[in-house]
Amino acid sequence: MPSTVKGVIARSKGAPVEVVDVVVPEPGPGEAVVQVQACGVCHTDLHYREGGINDEFPFLLGHEAAGVVEAVGPGVTEVEPGDFVILNWRAVCGQCRACANGRPQYCFATHNATQPMTLTDGTPLSPALGIGAFVEKTLVAAGQCTKVDPQAHAAAAGLLGCGVMAGFGAAVNTGAIGRGDSIAVIGCGGVGNAAIAGAALAGASTIIAVDVDDQKLQWAKDFGATHTVNSREEDAVEAIRRLTGGFGADVVVDAVGRPETYEQAFYARDLAGTVVLVGVPTPDLEITLPLLEVFGRGGALKSSWYGDCLPSRDFPMLVDLAQQGRFPLADFVTETIGLKEVEEAFEKMHKGEVLRSVVEL
Ligand SMILES: NC(=O)c1ccc[n+]([C@@H]2O[C@H](COP(=O)([O-])OP(=O)(O)OC[C@H]3O[C@@H](n4cnc5c(N)ncnc54)[C@H](O)[C@@H]3O)[C@@H](O)[C@H]2O)c1
Ligand SMILES: [Zn+2]
């Protein structure tokens, strides 16, 4: 029997989100229904609502979630009912050319549930990032469920499903930050602060947080930033150079995704350094750079999809480190809210008042 449950949708571009009845089918072959326990409010949800990702409205929002598997469809072996899981939005398919080449963290396939969740009138919903988790139950591909220690607190664990994993991985996997390196992180929301916490864990010795909001910079210090720069008050590139002996940082992470922040990242890295773009630009944005500078500065200009993570490797590892008190996962949860408060949470995110609001169900 399909279930009818409450969920949060964005019906049209820019319109306030609504809590509505959502019909969740029984899991088909290779699918699982998960009772969502917690789901973080990520900037990407707001991008969807603003039409910045695509225009396949209505969207079922939410994608940073943890919960318990309720039912699985035929042929599912990865998980079983009762498993505590974090949902991932890039399940490794095992068959595409990246997987075949032994680089599953770059899996190119989209591996989501094939049946749609719908409104009660049958209108299909587009689930954010192929998940859709501001909803009491959601239907996903079984491969999107990653089992972790059930002792973990769902509100914190769910954040590994997107923002915290993306930020951590941008620094640690994509940027390959290591002991004694210097790193600057531009934009210290949930994603940027996770990059800072990851760099601290990996042993970076200079960790420069850049933001336009002093509250975010204060949080960045708590996550391990050794220096902070308010780029409304001082030039970010000059400040990063000054704090790195005049050279620039080994790795600069752009966790905003705008031409001006990318340009700062480009010029604020040391020769042969690495720029990591993890913030997601909207389709209207463009950048022009002198090609000679691109050549002359050497190094690497990289993008980080989902922190180049491997959910089966990285989610349990980070849950374990958090349980041991070595990774401050719980500190990313600024507040817990109900399904009806997602619109307010967008507002708070926009004003910079929260790192993460997390919907608890
Ligand atoms: N690559 C991925 O896989 C991935 C995953 C999750 C989120 N994201 C993206 O990462 C970005 C950040 O997400 P978030 O949830 O941390 O958002 P957020 O809104 O919590 O944080 C953004 C931060 O950037 C700061 N900021 C804005 N403009 C700035 C500027 N010009 N200079 C310096 N700081 C500036 C804001 O003050 C805020 O602290 C978003 O674009 C989101 O879509 C990417
Ligand atoms: Zn996200």
Side-chain angles (χ1 to χ4, degrees), residues 42 44 63-64 129 162-163:
C42 171
T44 305
H63 59 272
E64 218 175 55
L129 289 172
C162 185

Coordinates of all heavy atoms in Angstrom, one line a residue, residues 42 44 63-64 129 162-163, ligand 2:
C42 N 19.7 22.9 3.6 CA 21.0 23.2 2.9 C 20.7 24.3 2.0 O 19.6 24.5 1.5 CB 21.5 21.9 2.2 SG 22.8 22.2 1.1
T44 N 21.4 24.4 -1.0 CA 21.0 23.9 -2.3 C 19.4 23.8 -2.4 O 18.8 23.9 -3.4 CB 21.6 22.5 -2.5 OG1 23.1 22.7 -2.4 CG2 21.3 21.9 -3.9
H63 N 17.4 17.0 1.5 CA 18.3 16.0 0.9 C 19.4 15.6 1.9 O 20.3 14.9 1.5 CB 18.8 16.4 -0.4 CG 19.6 17.7 -0.3 ND1 19.0 18.9 -0.4 CD2 20.9 17.9 -0.1 CE1 20.0 19.8 -0.2 NE2 21.1 19.2 0.0
E64 N 19.4 16.1 3.1 CA 20.5 16.0 4.0 C 20.0 15.2 5.2 O 19.8 15.8 6.3 CB 20.9 17.4 4.5 CG 22.4 17.6 4.6 CD 22.7 19.1 4.9 OE1 22.2 19.7 5.9 OE2 23.5 19.7 4.2
L129 N 17.9 16.6 -5.4 CA 19.0 15.8 -5.5 C 18.7 14.3 -5.5 O 19.4 13.4 -5.0 CB 20.0 16.1 -4.4 CG 20.7 17.4 -4.5 CD1 21.6 17.8 -3.3 CD2 21.7 17.5 -5.7
C162 N 25.0 15.6 3.0 CA 25.3 16.7 2.0 C 26.4 17.7 2.5 O 27.5 17.5 2.3 CB 24.0 17.4 1.6 SG 24.4 18.6 0.2
G163 N 25.9 18.7 3.2 CA 26.8 19.9 3.4 C 28.1 19.6 4.1 O 29.2 20.0 3.7
Ligands
ZN2 ZN 23.0 20.0 0.1

